[in-house]
Amino acid sequence: IVSTASAFRSAVDDDTPAVVIVQGNLNVGTVSIGSNKTIIGADVNAGLSGGTIRVRESNNIFQNLIIGPASGDAMEMSGAKNIYVTKCEFHDSSDELCSIVRESDYVTISWCKFYFNNTHSHAFAHLIGNRDDRTSDRGKLHVTMHHNWYGQGIRGRMPRTRYGHVHIYNNYYNSV
């Protein structure tokens, strides 16, 4: 159980398998998550804010967390494998709320809510595959997105996809 930003950073820093329970809303800034971590919110107020949650390893689960506000992407999966995000709330970033890029593979995002309280010209939900000339993404980016809610303030990219194999079903869109 972690209740400070420094304790969270220490708990997720390496690749040792661990279940990390987040207590409270922690301003962790930009932080990289090691492999083999299950990160779960202790209650409805549990969250991570202040910067980008960088997922660059494998075998991670994120559950019951409020992610944001954030400078940059709220969460970026870059080269990540076998990632499951469920029952999380993403809001108010200066870039995408959740990007899945650079050969990430086997990602599932389910039962999450995406929104902006303070919308702006770059208020986008997802980017899957980041550039047209990044052909190394071909054959990767297997992503499933189901039962998510795209709420207020989102201007697009629900999702925006390049090269990915994306399975999208039963999502709810009520963003103008």
Side-chain angles (χ1 to χ4, degrees):
I1 297 175
V2 297
S3 58
T4 66
S6 61
F8 178 80
R9 287 175 168 283
S10 178
V12 300
D13 192 36
D14 61 20
D15 294 336
T16 304
V19 175
V20 179
I21 299 173
V22 176
Q23 196 165 48
N25 195 321
L26 310 180
N27 185 338
V28 296
T30 295
V31 61
S32 292
I33 309 298
S35 290
N36 308 311
K37 301 293 186 253
T38 297
I39 303 171
I40 302 173
D43 58 32
V44 296
N45 299 312
L48 306 170
S49 65
T52 302
I53 305 304
R54 291 193 170 142
V55 184
R56 296 190 171 161
E57 302 297 332
S58 60
N59 304 323
N60 296 120
I61 298 171
F62 298 87
Q63 182 177 333
N64 298 334
L65 293 164
I66 299 168
I67 300 174
S71 55
D73 290 341
M75 178 180 279
E76 179 190 89
M77 297 173 207
S78 180
K81 309 276 187 285
N82 304 320
I83 309 298
Y84 181 47
V85 180
T86 189
K87 299 177 185 167
C88 291
E89 188 175 302
F90 292 79
H91 71 96
D92 297 306
S93 67
S94 62
D95 207 350
E96 277 80 22
L97 292 171
C98 182
S99 291
I100 304 164
V101 296
R102 296 179 197 90
E103 302 173 45
S104 290
D105 215 2
Y106 303 109
V107 175
T108 298
I109 299 175
S110 64
W111 299 100
C112 293
K113 182 178 181 183
F114 301 90
Y115 64 96
F116 284 86
N117 287 315
N118 301 304
T119 195
H120 51 82
S121 63
H122 199 82
F124 299 136
H126 306 288
L127 180 61
I128 301 174
N130 60 344
R131 294 192 329 242
D132 288 338
D133 63 349
R134 187 158 179 94
T135 57
S136 59
D137 283 340
R138 288 183 180 146
K140 307 278 192 220
L141 299 170
H142 294 89
V143 178
T144 299
M145 305 181 87
H146 67 89
H147 294 92
N148 296 302
W149 176 6
Y150 295 93
Q152 70 189 31
I154 296 178
R155 295 188 180 264
R157 297 185 184 176
M158 297 179 271
R160 166 72 160 94
T161 304
R162 293 180 178 102
Y163 296 113
H165 302 277
V166 183
H167 185 200
I168 301 171
Y169 67 96
N170 286 2
N171 292 291
Y172 177 62
Y173 301 88
N174 76 323
S175 180
V176 177

mmCIF file of all heavy atoms in Angstrom, residues 104-140:
data_model
loop_
_atom_site.group_PDB
_atom_site.id
_atom_site.type_symbol
_atom_site.label_atom_id
_atom_site.label_comp_id
_atom_site.label_asym_id
_atom_site.label_seq_id
_atom_site.Cartn_x
_atom_site.Cartn_y
_atom_site.Cartn_z
ATOM 1 N N SER A 104 3.914 -1.164 -29.281
ATOM 2 C CA SER A 104 3.198 -1.773 -28.157
ATOM 3 C C SER A 104 2.308 -2.872 -28.704
ATOM 4 O O SER A 104 1.871 -2.823 -29.859
ATOM 5 C CB SER A 104 2.360 -0.726 -27.421
ATOM 6 O OG SER A 104 3.184 0.168 -26.722
ATOM 7 N N ASP A 105 2.010 -3.870 -27.896
ATOM 8 C CA ASP A 105 1.248 -5.005 -28.398
ATOM 9 C C ASP A 105 0.464 -5.682 -27.277
ATOM 10 O O ASP A 105 0.915 -5.736 -26.139
ATOM 11 C CB ASP A 105 2.204 -6.008 -29.043
ATOM 12 C CG ASP A 105 1.612 -6.709 -30.253
ATOM 13 O OD1 ASP A 105 0.473 -6.400 -30.639
ATOM 14 O OD2 ASP A 105 2.306 -7.566 -30.820
ATOM 15 N N TYR A 106 -0.687 -6.197 -27.652
ATOM 16 C CA TYR A 106 -1.582 -6.920 -26.744
ATOM 17 C C TYR A 106 -1.981 -6.051 -25.554
ATOM 18 O O TYR A 106 -1.638 -6.312 -24.403
ATOM 19 C CB TYR A 106 -0.972 -8.263 -26.318
ATOM 20 C CG TYR A 106 -0.646 -9.114 -27.516
ATOM 21 C CD1 TYR A 106 0.677 -9.339 -27.892
ATOM 22 C CD2 TYR A 106 -1.659 -9.627 -28.315
ATOM 23 C CE1 TYR A 106 0.978 -10.079 -29.030
ATOM 24 C CE2 TYR A 106 -1.368 -10.365 -29.456
ATOM 25 C CZ TYR A 106 -0.048 -10.591 -29.801
ATOM 26 O OH TYR A 106 0.244 -11.304 -30.930
ATOM 27 N N VAL A 107 -2.752 -5.019 -25.889
ATOM 28 C CA VAL A 107 -3.249 -4.054 -24.911
ATOM 29 C C VAL A 107 -4.769 -4.123 -24.895
ATOM 30 O O VAL A 107 -5.404 -4.139 -25.953
ATOM 31 C CB VAL A 107 -2.800 -2.622 -25.270
ATOM 32 C CG1 VAL A 107 -3.415 -1.599 -24.338
ATOM 33 C CG2 VAL A 107 -1.279 -2.519 -25.277
ATOM 34 N N THR A 108 -5.358 -4.171 -23.718
ATOM 35 C CA THR A 108 -6.806 -4.104 -23.560
ATOM 36 C C THR A 108 -7.147 -2.942 -22.645
ATOM 37 O O THR A 108 -6.568 -2.794 -21.576
ATOM 38 C CB THR A 108 -7.373 -5.404 -22.963
ATOM 39 O OG1 THR A 108 -7.099 -6.478 -23.864
ATOM 40 C CG2 THR A 108 -8.881 -5.314 -22.746
ATOM 41 N N ILE A 109 -8.099 -2.126 -23.097
ATOM 42 C CA ILE A 109 -8.616 -1.023 -22.283
ATOM 43 C C ILE A 109 -10.118 -1.221 -22.201
ATOM 44 O O ILE A 109 -10.807 -1.232 -23.222
ATOM 45 C CB ILE A 109 -8.270 0.342 -22.904
ATOM 46 C CG1 ILE A 109 -6.758 0.496 -22.988
ATOM 47 C CG2 ILE A 109 -8.903 1.467 -22.088
ATOM 48 C CD1 ILE A 109 -6.293 1.744 -23.694
ATOM 49 N N SER A 110 -10.628 -1.405 -20.968
ATOM 50 C CA SER A 110 -12.051 -1.713 -20.813
ATOM 51 C C SER A 110 -12.650 -0.996 -19.608
ATOM 52 O O SER A 110 -11.978 -0.748 -18.612
ATOM 53 C CB SER A 110 -12.241 -3.226 -20.646
ATOM 54 O OG SER A 110 -11.635 -3.681 -19.450
ATOM 55 N N TRP A 111 -13.925 -0.665 -19.742
ATOM 56 C CA TRP A 111 -14.710 -0.073 -18.666
ATOM 57 C C TRP A 111 -14.077 1.203 -18.104
ATOM 58 O O TRP A 111 -14.139 1.467 -16.908
ATOM 59 C CB TRP A 111 -14.958 -1.093 -17.558
ATOM 60 C CG TRP A 111 -15.719 -2.291 -18.028
ATOM 61 C CD1 TRP A 111 -15.178 -3.515 -18.352
ATOM 62 C CD2 TRP A 111 -17.119 -2.391 -18.277
ATOM 63 N NE1 TRP A 111 -16.174 -4.367 -18.783
ATOM 64 C CE2 TRP A 111 -17.384 -3.705 -18.736
ATOM 65 C CE3 TRP A 111 -18.185 -1.496 -18.149
ATOM 66 C CZ2 TRP A 111 -18.656 -4.132 -19.072
ATOM 67 C CZ3 TRP A 111 -19.459 -1.935 -18.482
ATOM 68 C CH2 TRP A 111 -19.679 -3.235 -18.930
ATOM 69 N N CYS A 112 -13.451 1.999 -18.974
ATOM 70 C CA CYS A 112 -12.817 3.252 -18.558
ATOM 71 C C CYS A 112 -13.628 4.450 -19.047
ATOM 72 O O CYS A 112 -14.386 4.351 -20.000
ATOM 73 C CB CYS A 112 -11.396 3.349 -19.120
ATOM 74 S SG CYS A 112 -10.248 2.141 -18.419
ATOM 75 N N LYS A 113 -13.431 5.583 -18.394
ATOM 76 C CA LYS A 113 -14.057 6.837 -18.809
ATOM 77 C C LYS A 113 -12.961 7.810 -19.207
ATOM 78 O O LYS A 113 -11.951 7.934 -18.513
ATOM 79 C CB LYS A 113 -14.893 7.434 -17.688
ATOM 80 C CG LYS A 113 -15.598 8.723 -18.100
ATOM 81 C CD LYS A 113 -16.464 9.283 -16.988
ATOM 82 C CE LYS A 113 -17.160 10.556 -17.464
ATOM 83 N NZ LYS A 113 -17.964 11.157 -16.379
ATOM 84 N N PHE A 114 -13.187 8.515 -20.330
ATOM 85 C CA PHE A 114 -12.244 9.499 -20.848
ATOM 86 C C PHE A 114 -12.984 10.820 -21.027
ATOM 87 O O PHE A 114 -14.037 10.860 -21.664
ATOM 88 C CB PHE A 114 -11.675 9.037 -22.196
ATOM 89 C CG PHE A 114 -10.966 7.720 -22.116
ATOM 90 C CD1 PHE A 114 -11.649 6.530 -22.307
ATOM 91 C CD2 PHE A 114 -9.607 7.677 -21.833
ATOM 92 C CE1 PHE A 114 -10.992 5.311 -22.221
ATOM 93 C CE2 PHE A 114 -8.946 6.462 -21.748
ATOM 94 C CZ PHE A 114 -9.637 5.287 -21.937
ATOM 95 N N TYR A 115 -12.416 11.924 -20.477
ATOM 96 C CA TYR A 115 -13.090 13.221 -20.600
ATOM 97 C C TYR A 115 -12.120 14.364 -20.295
ATOM 98 O O TYR A 115 -11.034 14.151 -19.753
ATOM 99 C CB TYR A 115 -14.306 13.305 -19.672
ATOM 100 C CG TYR A 115 -13.955 13.244 -18.207
ATOM 101 C CD1 TYR A 115 -13.802 14.408 -17.458
ATOM 102 C CD2 TYR A 115 -13.779 12.031 -17.554
ATOM 103 C CE1 TYR A 115 -13.472 14.361 -16.112
ATOM 104 C CE2 TYR A 115 -13.454 11.969 -16.224
ATOM 105 C CZ TYR A 115 -13.305 13.138 -15.501
ATOM 106 O OH TYR A 115 -12.965 13.079 -14.164
ATOM 107 N N PHE A 116 -12.564 15.566 -20.650
ATOM 108 C CA PHE A 116 -11.829 16.790 -20.337
ATOM 109 C C PHE A 116 -12.775 17.749 -19.623
ATOM 110 O O PHE A 116 -13.818 18.113 -20.177
ATOM 111 C CB PHE A 116 -11.302 17.472 -21.612
ATOM 112 C CG PHE A 116 -10.106 16.799 -22.201
ATOM 113 C CD1 PHE A 116 -10.258 15.734 -23.073
ATOM 114 C CD2 PHE A 116 -8.824 17.228 -21.887
ATOM 115 C CE1 PHE A 116 -9.150 15.101 -23.618
ATOM 116 C CE2 PHE A 116 -7.716 16.603 -22.427
ATOM 117 C CZ PHE A 116 -7.872 15.539 -23.297
ATOM 118 N N ASN A 117 -12.435 18.159 -18.424
ATOM 119 C CA ASN A 117 -13.177 19.222 -17.743
ATOM 120 C C ASN A 117 -12.869 20.556 -18.405
ATOM 121 O O ASN A 117 -13.726 21.421 -18.499
ATOM 122 C CB ASN A 117 -12.812 19.289 -16.262
ATOM 123 C CG ASN A 117 -13.395 18.130 -15.494
ATOM 124 O OD1 ASN A 117 -14.551 17.772 -15.659
ATOM 125 N ND2 ASN A 117 -12.578 17.522 -14.656
ATOM 126 N N ASN A 118 -11.614 20.711 -18.814
ATOM 127 C CA ASN A 118 -11.148 21.932 -19.464
ATOM 128 C C ASN A 118 -10.677 21.570 -20.868
ATOM 129 O O ASN A 118 -9.518 21.251 -21.072
ATOM 130 C CB ASN A 118 -10.006 22.562 -18.655
ATOM 131 C CG ASN A 118 -10.442 22.886 -17.246
ATOM 132 O OD1 ASN A 118 -11.412 23.593 -17.034
ATOM 133 N ND2 ASN A 118 -9.735 22.339 -16.263
ATOM 134 N N THR A 119 -11.592 21.620 -21.821
ATOM 135 C CA THR A 119 -11.254 21.227 -23.183
ATOM 136 C C THR A 119 -10.350 22.268 -23.850
ATOM 137 O O THR A 119 -10.277 23.406 -23.408
ATOM 138 C CB THR A 119 -12.526 20.966 -24.014
ATOM 139 O OG1 THR A 119 -12.165 20.271 -25.193
ATOM 140 C CG2 THR A 119 -13.266 22.246 -24.333
ATOM 141 N N HIS A 120 -9.632 21.845 -24.872
ATOM 142 C CA HIS A 120 -8.725 22.718 -25.619
ATOM 143 C C HIS A 120 -8.555 22.133 -27.011
ATOM 144 O O HIS A 120 -9.129 21.086 -27.325
ATOM 145 C CB HIS A 120 -7.388 22.881 -24.886
ATOM 146 C CG HIS A 120 -6.761 21.582 -24.480
ATOM 147 N ND1 HIS A 120 -6.014 20.812 -25.326
ATOM 148 C CD2 HIS A 120 -6.806 20.909 -23.295
ATOM 149 C CE1 HIS A 120 -5.601 19.726 -24.701
ATOM 150 N NE2 HIS A 120 -6.068 19.752 -23.462
ATOM 151 N N SER A 121 -7.762 22.775 -27.845
ATOM 152 C CA SER A 121 -7.653 22.353 -29.248
ATOM 153 C C SER A 121 -7.024 20.967 -29.421
ATOM 154 O O SER A 121 -7.183 20.343 -30.454
ATOM 155 C CB SER A 121 -6.859 23.385 -30.052
ATOM 156 O OG SER A 121 -5.533 23.474 -29.560
ATOM 157 N N HIS A 122 -6.299 20.476 -28.439
ATOM 158 C CA HIS A 122 -5.648 19.160 -28.528
ATOM 159 C C HIS A 122 -6.244 18.200 -27.480
ATOM 160 O O HIS A 122 -5.542 17.388 -26.888
ATOM 161 C CB HIS A 122 -4.136 19.309 -28.340
ATOM 162 C CG HIS A 122 -3.361 18.137 -28.849
ATOM 163 N ND1 HIS A 122 -3.033 17.969 -30.174
ATOM 164 C CD2 HIS A 122 -2.864 17.052 -28.214
ATOM 165 C CE1 HIS A 122 -2.348 16.843 -30.329
ATOM 166 N NE2 HIS A 122 -2.236 16.259 -29.149
ATOM 167 N N ALA A 123 -7.526 18.296 -27.241
ATOM 168 C CA ALA A 123 -8.208 17.458 -26.255
ATOM 169 C C ALA A 123 -8.614 16.136 -26.901
ATOM 170 O O ALA A 123 -9.760 15.936 -27.288
ATOM 171 C CB ALA A 123 -9.417 18.195 -25.688
ATOM 172 N N PHE A 124 -7.651 15.222 -27.026
ATOM 173 C CA PHE A 124 -7.858 13.963 -27.727
ATOM 174 C C PHE A 124 -7.766 12.781 -26.772
ATOM 175 O O PHE A 124 -7.016 12.804 -25.796
ATOM 176 C CB PHE A 124 -6.820 13.787 -28.831
ATOM 177 C CG PHE A 124 -6.865 14.858 -29.892
ATOM 178 C CD1 PHE A 124 -5.707 15.435 -30.364
ATOM 179 C CD2 PHE A 124 -8.067 15.288 -30.426
ATOM 180 C CE1 PHE A 124 -5.732 16.409 -31.341
ATOM 181 C CE2 PHE A 124 -8.119 16.258 -31.401
ATOM 182 C CZ PHE A 124 -6.943 16.831 -31.870
ATOM 183 N N ALA A 125 -8.498 11.713 -27.096
ATOM 184 C CA ALA A 125 -8.536 10.528 -26.241
ATOM 185 C C ALA A 125 -7.336 9.604 -26.466
ATOM 186 O O ALA A 125 -6.584 9.328 -25.539
ATOM 187 C CB ALA A 125 -9.840 9.768 -26.446
ATOM 188 N N HIS A 126 -7.177 9.087 -27.703
ATOM 189 C CA HIS A 126 -6.159 8.056 -27.941
ATOM 190 C C HIS A 126 -5.403 8.281 -29.243
ATOM 191 O O HIS A 126 -5.975 8.722 -30.232
ATOM 192 C CB HIS A 126 -6.793 6.667 -28.079
ATOM 193 C CG HIS A 126 -7.655 6.261 -26.961
ATOM 194 N ND1 HIS A 126 -7.166 5.920 -25.737
ATOM 195 C CD2 HIS A 126 -9.002 6.148 -26.882
ATOM 196 C CE1 HIS A 126 -8.176 5.600 -24.946
ATOM 197 N NE2 HIS A 126 -9.290 5.734 -25.614
ATOM 198 N N LEU A 127 -4.165 7.864 -29.229
ATOM 199 C CA LEU A 127 -3.379 7.731 -30.441
ATOM 200 C C LEU A 127 -2.805 6.320 -30.403
ATOM 201 O O LEU A 127 -2.134 5.944 -29.434
ATOM 202 C CB LEU A 127 -2.252 8.771 -30.472
ATOM 203 C CG LEU A 127 -1.346 8.757 -31.701
ATOM 204 C CD1 LEU A 127 -2.152 9.039 -32.950
ATOM 205 C CD2 LEU A 127 -0.250 9.798 -31.531
ATOM 206 N N ILE A 128 -3.112 5.528 -31.409
ATOM 207 C CA ILE A 128 -2.579 4.167 -31.495
ATOM 208 C C ILE A 128 -1.691 4.140 -32.731
ATOM 209 O O ILE A 128 -2.169 4.258 -33.858
ATOM 210 C CB ILE A 128 -3.710 3.122 -31.586
ATOM 211 C CG1 ILE A 128 -4.606 3.220 -30.350
ATOM 212 C CG2 ILE A 128 -3.122 1.724 -31.732
ATOM 213 C CD1 ILE A 128 -5.826 2.340 -30.397
ATOM 214 N N GLY A 129 -0.394 4.011 -32.533
ATOM 215 C CA GLY A 129 0.578 4.159 -33.612
ATOM 216 C C GLY A 129 0.804 5.641 -33.830
ATOM 217 O O GLY A 129 -0.137 6.388 -34.047
ATOM 218 N N ASN A 130 2.034 6.102 -33.773
ATOM 219 C CA ASN A 130 2.214 7.553 -33.695
ATOM 220 C C ASN A 130 2.572 8.279 -34.982
ATOM 221 O O ASN A 130 2.358 9.467 -35.067
ATOM 222 C CB ASN A 130 3.199 7.915 -32.592
ATOM 223 C CG ASN A 130 4.565 7.318 -32.786
ATOM 224 O OD1 ASN A 130 4.738 6.404 -33.564
ATOM 225 N ND2 ASN A 130 5.532 7.828 -32.068
ATOM 226 N N ARG A 131 3.123 7.611 -35.990
ATOM 227 C CA ARG A 131 3.493 8.339 -37.216
ATOM 228 C C ARG A 131 3.258 7.452 -38.429
ATOM 229 O O ARG A 131 3.418 6.234 -38.366
ATOM 230 C CB ARG A 131 4.975 8.740 -37.180
ATOM 231 C CG ARG A 131 5.324 9.731 -36.116
ATOM 232 C CD ARG A 131 6.726 10.317 -36.292
ATOM 233 N NE ARG A 131 7.690 9.431 -36.914
ATOM 234 C CZ ARG A 131 8.796 8.992 -36.327
ATOM 235 N NH1 ARG A 131 9.088 9.341 -35.102
ATOM 236 N NH2 ARG A 131 9.629 8.209 -36.986
ATOM 237 N N ASP A 132 2.946 8.098 -39.561
ATOM 238 C CA ASP A 132 2.736 7.353 -40.804
ATOM 239 C C ASP A 132 4.014 6.643 -41.268
ATOM 240 O O ASP A 132 3.952 5.580 -41.873
ATOM 241 C CB ASP A 132 2.253 8.287 -41.918
ATOM 242 C CG ASP A 132 0.819 8.732 -41.711
ATOM 243 O OD1 ASP A 132 0.078 8.033 -40.995
ATOM 244 O OD2 ASP A 132 0.450 9.777 -42.273
ATOM 245 N N ASP A 133 5.172 7.226 -40.986
ATOM 246 C CA ASP A 133 6.427 6.638 -41.469
ATOM 247 C C ASP A 133 7.029 5.628 -40.490
ATOM 248 O O ASP A 133 8.092 5.092 -40.732
ATOM 249 C CB ASP A 133 7.442 7.741 -41.792
ATOM 250 C CG ASP A 133 7.853 8.559 -40.577
ATOM 251 O OD1 ASP A 133 7.219 8.430 -39.505
ATOM 252 O OD2 ASP A 133 8.814 9.336 -40.704
ATOM 253 N N ARG A 134 6.353 5.324 -39.408
ATOM 254 C CA ARG A 134 6.866 4.349 -38.433
ATOM 255 C C ARG A 134 6.361 2.951 -38.818
ATOM 256 O O ARG A 134 5.487 2.379 -38.174
ATOM 257 C CB ARG A 134 6.449 4.712 -37.023
ATOM 258 C CG ARG A 134 7.119 3.813 -36.020
ATOM 259 C CD ARG A 134 7.158 4.443 -34.658
ATOM 260 N NE ARG A 134 7.785 3.540 -33.732
ATOM 261 C CZ ARG A 134 9.062 3.537 -33.420
ATOM 262 N NH1 ARG A 134 9.863 4.426 -33.963
ATOM 263 N NH2 ARG A 134 9.551 2.678 -32.577
ATOM 264 N N THR A 135 6.942 2.406 -39.876
ATOM 265 C CA THR A 135 6.487 1.122 -40.412
ATOM 266 C C THR A 135 6.823 -0.057 -39.501
ATOM 267 O O THR A 135 6.275 -1.145 -39.676
ATOM 268 C CB THR A 135 7.076 0.891 -41.816
ATOM 269 O OG1 THR A 135 8.501 0.954 -41.734
ATOM 270 C CG2 THR A 135 6.555 1.936 -42.796
ATOM 271 N N SER A 136 7.681 0.138 -38.508
ATOM 272 C CA SER A 136 7.987 -0.945 -37.563
ATOM 273 C C SER A 136 6.767 -1.298 -36.711
ATOM 274 O O SER A 136 6.750 -2.339 -36.062
ATOM 275 C CB SER A 136 9.162 -0.555 -36.667
ATOM 276 O OG SER A 136 8.868 0.628 -35.948
ATOM 277 N N ASP A 137 5.737 -0.456 -36.724
ATOM 278 C CA ASP A 137 4.494 -0.764 -36.008
ATOM 279 C C ASP A 137 3.651 -1.819 -36.728
ATOM 280 O O ASP A 137 2.753 -2.398 -36.125
ATOM 281 C CB ASP A 137 3.648 0.503 -35.832
ATOM 282 C CG ASP A 137 4.156 1.404 -34.725
ATOM 283 O OD1 ASP A 137 4.902 0.930 -33.850
ATOM 284 O OD2 ASP A 137 3.816 2.597 -34.744
ATOM 285 N N ARG A 138 3.950 -2.074 -38.003
ATOM 286 C CA ARG A 138 3.189 -3.082 -38.739
ATOM 287 C C ARG A 138 3.301 -4.435 -38.055
ATOM 288 O O ARG A 138 4.380 -4.855 -37.654
ATOM 289 C CB ARG A 138 3.696 -3.190 -40.172
ATOM 290 C CG ARG A 138 3.313 -2.012 -41.015
ATOM 291 C CD ARG A 138 3.761 -2.195 -42.443
ATOM 292 N NE ARG A 138 3.378 -1.026 -43.224
ATOM 293 C CZ ARG A 138 4.076 -0.542 -44.223
ATOM 294 N NH1 ARG A 138 5.199 -1.141 -44.606
ATOM 295 N NH2 ARG A 138 3.665 0.518 -44.865
ATOM 296 N N GLY A 139 2.169 -5.110 -37.927
ATOM 297 C CA GLY A 139 2.149 -6.420 -37.282
ATOM 298 C C GLY A 139 2.098 -6.342 -35.768
ATOM 299 O O GLY A 139 2.058 -7.365 -35.088
ATOM 300 N N LYS A 140 2.109 -5.147 -35.218
ATOM 301 C CA LYS A 140 2.022 -4.932 -33.763
ATOM 302 C C LYS A 140 0.724 -4.177 -33.479
ATOM 303 O O LYS A 140 -0.158 -4.113 -34.307
ATOM 304 C CB LYS A 140 3.204 -4.105 -33.264
ATOM 305 C CG LYS A 140 4.542 -4.632 -33.659
ATOM 306 C CD LYS A 140 4.992 -5.729 -32.745
ATOM 307 C CE LYS A 140 6.466 -6.003 -33.017
ATOM 308 N NZ LYS A 140 6.835 -7.350 -33.004
#
